[in-house]
Amino acid sequence: MVNCEGTSFMFPMLADVYHPVIEQNPYGGQSKSWHLDRTIAGNFIAAGAEAKEEIVVNIDLTQESLLLCRVKSDIRISDREDNNVLTNVLVTNIRDAEGNLIYYETDEAIIEPTVYEVATQQPVINPFGKAEYYRLILRRSENQRVIE
């Protein structure tokens, strides 16, 4: 059963978090099969031009690929209490509280949620030394078909 956090004023959206099961073949190669871990509550907004990673002189007409996020829980820790590195976490299916997709890809009348990789994660610490929430930067994955 997938765990689902509730929405609130600070966390008005929902998103699905995927973690991999990593298998190694006899020759040492690894393959990842992604599995839905849980649904998290958060706030996800496009980073905009001020968050560009590099300065480009020419005109840039590309889609923004970074999202700034605020989430309730540490998404590196799976429902089974496994610790994952940030490269082993995917976020997708970002939607509002009513379930409407916000970030999605279209391909010949097929609408699929955009898949994001976690670039960074930082805890926001309250005055009592506890993590109040986590700030994330999500980067649009080059491979949108990674979750099947």
Side-chain angles (χ1 to χ4, degrees):
M1 185 166 100
V2 176
N3 186 9
C4 181
E5 298 175 353
T7 59
S8 67
F9 170 74
M10 292 256 314
F11 308 100
M13 301 174 188
L14 296 171
D16 294 336
V17 175
Y18 284 78
H19 290 154
V21 172
I22 302 171
E23 296 175 349
Q24 189 169 5
N25 66 28
Y27 301 109
Q30 293 182 344
S31 65
K32 295 179 183 179
S33 58
W34 295 92
H35 299 280
L36 177 62
D37 183 61
R38 68 183 182 276
T39 298
I40 58 168
N43 191 14
F44 305 86
I45 60 170
E50 65 277 358
K52 289 275 189 204
E53 295 179 8
E54 55 194 47
I55 297 174
V56 181
V57 178
N58 60 357
I59 297 173
D60 185 15
L61 298 175
T62 60
Q63 173 186 358
E64 296 298 330
S65 62
L66 295 179
L67 293 181
L68 303 177
C69 314
R70 176 178 56 229
V71 296
K72 287 182 179 181
S73 58
D74 187 346
I75 64 172
R76 296 172 300 176
I77 301 171
S78 74
D79 255 0
R80 298 176 310 225
E81 302 296 323
D82 295 335
N83 288 313
N84 287 287
V85 295
L86 290 179
T87 56
N88 282 344
V89 179
L90 294 177
V91 177
T92 187
N93 200 20
I94 299 171
R95 56 205 185 276
D96 61 20
E98 286 81 39
N100 302 314
L101 276 177
I102 297 174
Y103 301 104
Y104 54 88
E105 309 286 319
T106 56
D107 182 23
E108 297 180 18
I110 298 172
I111 296 175
E112 298 206 4
T114 303
V115 176
Y116 291 93
E117 300 166 350
V118 180
T120 63
Q121 175 176 301
Q122 288 182 322
V124 174
I125 307 299
N126 67 19
F128 305 105
K130 301 249 183 196
E132 188 129 342
Y133 61 89
Y134 295 85
R135 281 190 232 153
L136 304 173
I137 296 178
L138 300 181
R139 180 178 290 116
R140 184 181 177 276
S141 177
E142 292 291 325
N143 182 2
Q144 288 296 305
R145 303 259 186 230
V146 69
I147 299 173
E148 295 293 335

